[in-house]
Amino acid sequence: MHSQLLTETNSPLSRDQAEDLSRLVGDLRQDQLNWLSGYLAGLSAAGVAGAAAAAQASTAAAPAAAPELTILVGSQTGNAEEIAQQAATKAEQRGFRPQVVDMGDVRKPQLKAAERLLVIVSTHGEGDPPDNAIELHELVGSRKAPPLGDTRFSVLALGDASYEHFCQTGRDFDARLEALGGTRIHPRADCDVDYDDDAAAWVDGVLEALAGDLDPQPSNVVAFDRAAGAQPADWSKRNPYRASLVENLVLNGRGSAKETRHLEVSVEGSGLQWEPGDSLGVLPQNPPRDVDDVVAALGLDHDETVEGPRGEVTLREALTHDYEITTLTRPFLHGWAELAGDEALDALLAEDNRDALREWMHGRQVIDVLRAWPVTGLAAQDFVARLRRLPPRLYSIASSFAANPDEIHLTVAAVRYEAHERAREGVASTFLADRVDDDTPLPVYIDHNRHFRLPGDDDAPMIMIGPGTGVAPFRAFLEEREARGAGGRNWLFFGDQHLRSDFLYQREWLKWRERGVLDRLDVAFSRDQDEKVYVQDRIRERGAELHAWLAEGAHVYVCGDAERMAPDVHQALIDVIAEHGGLSRDDAGAWLSQLQRDRRYQRDVY
């Protein structure tokens, strides 16, 4: 899989050539890419004859006898794919023939035939598989699953420990592969949001467990490359670009219950490149008040030195930049219970009390634990060792590189609320809204998402469903299509609370409609009438025309809330397909699943 797709803006190729080449290399295995690289090098240096010789040399360099290694990837945002590519690189350097395969492309015979199988999969929301892993997850959990007696496997599970069902999808695959007869060659690794070190250790462990399959073992083994696949100039979450914020506007009108910001970030001279559908990774800082309150609750000194991921820093620096002190996780609570020795906390953490624990955690942060169950005499170093790293936050990019190559636009809802007699605020959203200025640079990087991409055919119709800040990537989609001169029709469904105060980017949508870039615009403002109306209601109301667009090859995109909106929209699409396509609910669901496999139904939900 190729992580940086070519366009006419980042290569000397025409748009059609760039799309054809990106489509080709995106489906190639690593050994195939190596062969093609040799072929093209020979073609460039010595014409067709030289290319033939280079092809022979490349084939000889990657003998077919090398043991195959299948790496299955299930990912919603791209983290699993990044790890898979890095694992494939190291596996090839050791002498394997790795093949990275998207879970959405795996069929039963291919799964059964895999003798060496690595599974790298994330968990989405509260225990759900990512979209491209749904069908395979259902297959391995069903009676139709193939026997895997000849398969040796290991699983890397990605997740977020703040969720109850942490790494559940990876746990499911691990258990089912064993139940189907597979042999676990290396223990499953469950990775939290700061996964780099754990993933590196897992890759090393897996390849060491498979080393006996290599005869003879090659000597060119190198260290796990965390920078593999990095964007231009190697900017990454470990090495972010220091951007500047040049615009910070409130999009909501007077009287709105929301605070939605339009932010413009200057990345001029950075070399960063992105495509519509990608996200901007932001490395935030914890609010100063939260840092002060945590230090005070512990009875520690801000200036005490601790050893953190950036070396020796003050406690204030570590709690501001390096560690999560807001979001509660179960591992932190269990660790704190060992220190506190409190029966009430022990009871709350009992396995049969999960519902009560979930309710207690809602709206609470680390400071609430420190105050409810104080621990005296705890050293600063011992405290930070119990915290997880402060993870980056991802925001859908709301602008097109083709239209604004030096700026990245974001649409950010500032999170502020009251809970348990304390004012709370979102770490990243209020950092962006309130604390980034000329003296505070913004550390950023590009998070590529190949699962949320414009149609390859500029003439294909496109249906975009994005209530609230979920509309952000569709602003980038339309900017890109306008810049390309794309002929495909575009239809946007947008929803929020009130027409007068919450119609985000209203002028831009209306101008695009006037210019013929946006063909249809349907809106749903839930609080403007007695009965609430949402985007899924508009979808059903426009069902006949929407189904006609689908029949003509339209691509459907959904962005926004994963808990309620995305499932409701999914069901509305099934209802429309069933009613206007003359299908049963089951057949309509299968039809929509086929759209997903064909990359014509893509979701970026969170």
Side-chain angles (χ1 to χ4, degrees):
M1 281 179 261
H2 196 59
S3 60
Q4 177 62 51
L5 296 182
L6 294 170
T7 69
E8 70 275 22
T9 62
N10 64 16
S11 74
L13 306 177
S14 69
R15 184 173 66 227
D16 289 342
Q17 290 171 329
E19 288 179 356
D20 288 344
L21 183 55
S22 293
R23 191 176 300 112
L24 169 63
V25 299
D27 292 332
L28 295 182
R29 301 189 309 268
Q30 189 65 47
D31 59 309
Q32 294 171 324
L33 282 171
N34 291 343
W35 183 92
L36 182 61
S37 176
Y39 179 84
L40 292 177
L43 185 64
S44 175
V48 175
Q56 292 177 355
S58 180
T59 301
E68 291 188 356
L69 177 65
T70 302
I71 306 174
L72 298 186
V73 182
S75 177
Q76 197 72 31
T77 63
N79 290 336
E81 291 169 331
E82 177 186 351
I83 296 170
Q85 290 299 329
Q86 294 168 355
T89 297
K90 188 165 188 183
E92 186 177 33
Q93 290 164 344
R94 282 180 173 258
F96 292 96
R97 281 192 297 139
Q99 182 179 17
V100 178
V101 184
D102 187 293
M103 283 190 175
D105 297 330
V106 177
R107 296 298 173 262
K108 185 175 176 178
Q110 188 176 7
L111 178 64
K112 184 178 180 180
E115 296 181 4
R116 302 168 193 85
L117 180 65
L118 306 188
V119 174
I120 303 174
V121 64
S122 63
T123 294
H124 191 53
E126 284 292 358
D128 297 322
D131 284 353
N132 72 323
I134 291 174
E135 285 199 54
L136 185 62
H137 184 261
E138 291 176 349
L139 173 64
V140 300
S142 73
R143 296 176 62 183
K144 296 180 180 180
L148 299 177
D150 295 329
T151 298
R152 290 179 292 157
F153 74 92
S154 186
V155 175
L156 179 72
L158 300 176
D160 184 336
S162 65
Y163 286 93
E164 179 178 0
H165 301 289
F166 173 56
C167 286
Q168 186 61 51
T169 302
R171 294 169 188 258
D172 291 345
F173 273 106
D174 188 54
R176 286 299 299 162
L177 292 176
E178 182 180 44
L180 293 169
T183 301
R184 186 183 295 103
I185 56 169
H186 187 73
R188 184 189 73 245
D190 294 342
C191 299
D192 202 355
V193 289
D194 183 37
Y195 56 80
D196 297 83
D197 292 339
D198 290 337
W202 176 82
V203 170
D204 285 339
V206 166
L207 294 180
E208 188 62 32
L210 290 170
D213 293 359
L214 299 171
D215 186 25
Q217 290 194 40
S219 59
N220 60 336
V221 176
V222 300
F224 186 74
D225 183 8
R226 293 183 182 84
Q231 49 261 346
D234 289 336
W235 303 122
S236 66
K237 65 181 176 182
R238 294 272 175 140
N239 180 37
Y241 175 72
R242 307 288 173 174
S244 58
L245 188 61
V246 295
E247 191 71 89
N248 185 347
L249 302 173
V250 177
L251 293 175
N252 305 95
R254 188 180 308 168
S256 175
K258 297 187 173 185
E259 180 189 337
T260 310
R261 301 268 179 158
H262 171 76
L263 305 172
E264 298 183 2
V265 179
S266 174
V267 293
E268 186 173 2
S270 67
L272 290 172
Q273 296 180 6
W274 62 94
E275 294 188 54
D278 287 340
S279 295
L280 186 70
V282 173
L283 278 67
Q285 298 177 17
N286 283 308
R289 186 201 63 160
D290 289 340
V291 173
D292 291 342
D293 288 350
V294 165
V295 174
L298 292 167
L300 296 172
D301 186 338
H302 285 91
D303 295 326
E304 184 171 348
T305 300
V306 295
E307 182 73 26
R310 295 177 296 127
E312 283 195 355
V313 295
T314 65
L315 179 59
R316 182 194 297 276
E317 280 286 302
L319 296 183
T320 299
H321 298 280
D322 299 327
Y323 294 104
E324 181 84 83
I325 62 170
T326 52
T327 303
L328 271 181
T329 67
R330 291 167 185 269
F332 174 81
L333 283 170
H334 281 284
W336 196 256
E338 294 175 1
L339 294 173
D342 188 283
E343 292 182 0
L345 179 55
D346 291 339
L348 190 61
L349 290 170
E351 186 62 30
D352 59 355
N353 212 14
R354 295 180 74 88
D355 290 343
L357 177 60
R358 187 188 313 112
E359 183 178 346
W360 188 90
M361 290 176 65
H362 184 70
R364 285 188 167 92
Q365 300 171 334
V366 169
I367 185 62
D368 298 287
V369 178
L370 305 187
R371 289 176 172 174
W373 296 284
V375 173
T376 59
L378 183 66
Q381 188 66 55
D382 291 338
F383 175 67
V384 298
R386 296 176 181 277
L387 300 174
R388 70 174 184 174
R389 289 282 300 274
L390 180 61
R393 268 56 169 184
L394 301 181
Y395 291 96
S396 297
I397 295 176
S399 57
S400 160
F401 181 87
N404 297 285
D406 296 329
E407 292 180 357
I408 293 177
H409 298 176
L410 305 177
T411 311
V412 177
V415 177
R416 309 179 200 272
Y417 62 99
E418 191 89 19
H420 308 292
E421 302 180 351
R422 179 180 172 85
R424 320 276 174 160
E425 54 187 58
V427 172
S429 64
T430 58
F431 173 61
L432 289 166
D434 303 338
R435 302 193 298 280
V436 177
D437 53 30
D438 292 342
D439 297 323
T440 307
L442 182 62
V444 300
Y445 65 97
I446 301 298
D447 188 84
H448 298 287
N449 183 4
R450 78 177 192 90
H451 297 294
F452 204 69
R453 285 286 182 255
L454 281 166
D457 179 4
D458 278 352
D459 292 326
M462 187 168 67
I463 300 168
M464 301 162 286
I465 304 164
T469 57
V471 82
F474 303 135
R475 184 175 181 267
F477 277 26
L478 291 185
E479 275 194 354
E480 180 77 12
R481 279 205 143 183
E482 184 175 41
R484 289 185 186 181
R489 294 181 297 160
N490 302 304
W491 186 351
L492 174 66
F493 287 88
F494 173 76
D496 215 310
Q497 291 188 351
H498 298 285
L499 168 63
R500 289 191 175 184
S501 60
D502 303 315
F503 196 170
L504 308 183
Y505 301 115
Q506 178 181 10
R507 292 182 180 177
E508 295 187 25
W509 308 128
L510 296 180
K511 286 182 179 179
W512 269 320
R513 193 169 65 175
E514 290 173 4
R515 295 200 294 266
V517 178
L518 183 59
D519 298 87
R520 287 290 305 267
L521 175 63
D522 282 282
V523 295
F525 294 101
S526 59
R527 295 345 188 244
D528 279 349
Q529 58 283 313
D530 292 336
E531 185 175 348
K532 292 181 180 178
V533 177
Y534 298 104
V535 288
Q536 57 265 29
D537 300 311
R538 295 290 184 238
I539 288 170
R540 290 187 176 92
E541 290 171 7
R542 311 294 189 260
E545 187 170 1
L546 191 148
H547 186 268
W549 278 49
L550 292 177
E552 294 169 12
H555 292 236
V556 182
Y557 300 88
V558 180
C559 183
D561 170 55
E563 185 176 354
R564 296 181 180 176
M565 182 278 297
D568 290 344
V569 165
H570 186 84
Q571 187 58 54
L573 291 172
I574 290 176
D575 293 344
V576 165
I577 294 166
E579 179 181 355
H580 300 282
L583 300 175
S584 68
R585 287 284 186 275
D586 288 346
D587 288 343
W591 199 84
L592 189 58
S593 294
Q594 185 61 50
L595 284 189
Q596 208 159 22
R597 287 193 294 272
D598 294 341
R599 310 291 197 269
R600 284 180 52 203
Y601 175 36
Q602 300 181 39
R603 306 194 304 171
D604 182 11
V605 296
Y606 38 85

